[in-house]
């Protein structure tokens, strides 16, 4: 059986996913049709889903959240892990007769989007609150409508120690 070397990043992403998905299920939009999962890459524009993904991992070396370019050896081996949470959902579009969505339909889409944003903020603010991990929360950003879908995403960068095996 293969032994995984990653004892820090995957558990961190799964911990954040475990905080995020239950919160999302309680939003006005509820759980997206295709669920809430870890993701390999950016949002897929044609399915309703939520995700947590690793955006990047970079050496920090005592300068968190800045990237270090002169990486020190252990024990000062610290890494920034940038994670993204996001939600992509169906939104009202122009109907078959060419009429745009009503103000009520658009308001409902905005309500769902902002409630999803609140779930993301709560997840990143509360998930790691009980430990001493350093983290920096990035801005929430909307994902503009495209093909009847829209959403939003937020990033959080967490400092991890990933020392060399002894």
């Amino acid at each position: 059986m293969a032994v995984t070397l990653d004892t820090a990043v995957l558990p961190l992403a799964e911990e954040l996913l475990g905080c995020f998905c239950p919160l999302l299920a309680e939003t006005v939009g509820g759980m997206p049709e295709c669920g809430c999962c870890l993701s390999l890459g950016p949002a897929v524009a044609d399915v309703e889903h939520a995700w947590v993904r690793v955006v990047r991992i970079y050496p920090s070396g005592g300068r968190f959240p800045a990237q270090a370019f002169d990486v020190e050896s252990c024990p000062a081996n610290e890494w920034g892990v940038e994670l993204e949470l996001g939600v992509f959902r169906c939104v009202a579009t122009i109907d078959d007769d060419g009429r745009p969505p009503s103000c009520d339909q658009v308001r409902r889409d905005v309500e769902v989007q902002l409630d999803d944003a609140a779930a993301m903020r709560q997840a990143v603010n509360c998930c790691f609150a009980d430990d001493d991990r350093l983290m920096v929360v990035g801005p929430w950003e909307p994902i503009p409508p495209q093909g009847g879908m829209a959403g939003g995403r937020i990033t959080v960068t967490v400092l991890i120690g990933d020392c060399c095996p002894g």
Side-chain angles (χ1 to χ4, degrees):
M1 178 188 337
V3 175
T4 183
L5 294 177
D6 177 27
T7 60
V9 178
L10 181 60
L12 188 68
E14 288 178 327
E15 184 178 352
L16 186 55
L17 186 73
C19 293
F20 178 43
C21 297
L23 291 169
L24 192 60
E26 298 299 318
T27 63
V28 294
M31 185 60 68
E33 184 179 309
C34 291
C36 183
C37 308
L38 291 177
S39 177
L40 289 171
V44 178
D46 60 351
V47 295
E48 188 172 287
H49 68 291
W51 67 89
V52 169
R53 73 178 181 105
V54 178
V55 176
R56 65 187 182 131
I57 304 167
Y58 61 91
S60 186
R63 297 185 184 104
F64 183 77
Q67 180 172 346
F69 294 98
D70 56 340
V71 180
E72 302 286 329
S73 62
C74 291
N77 195 2
E78 295 177 331
W79 296 81
V81 177
E82 184 178 346
L83 302 166
E84 178 186 81
L85 296 83
V87 180
F88 216 54
R89 295 186 185 271
C90 295
V91 294
T93 60
I94 295 173
D95 69 15
D96 292 340
D97 295 324
R99 291 184 300 254
S102 70
C103 289
D104 287 342
Q105 290 172 311
V106 173
R107 187 202 180 284
R108 170 68 179 166
D109 290 341
V110 170
E111 178 184 21
V112 169
Q113 184 184 51
L114 294 179
D115 212 33
D116 289 345
M120 289 180 231
R121 291 192 315 271
Q122 189 172 344
V124 298
N125 285 331
C126 301
C127 194
F128 308 128
D130 292 339
D131 57 37
D132 293 332
R133 283 184 249 198
L134 294 178
M135 68 176 192
V136 175
V137 179
W140 175 86
E141 298 175 317
I143 301 171
Q146 46 190 306
M149 307 290 291
R153 63 180 145 235
I154 193 170
T155 59
V156 59
T157 305
V158 181
L159 181 68
I160 62 167
D162 203 7
C163 279
C164 307

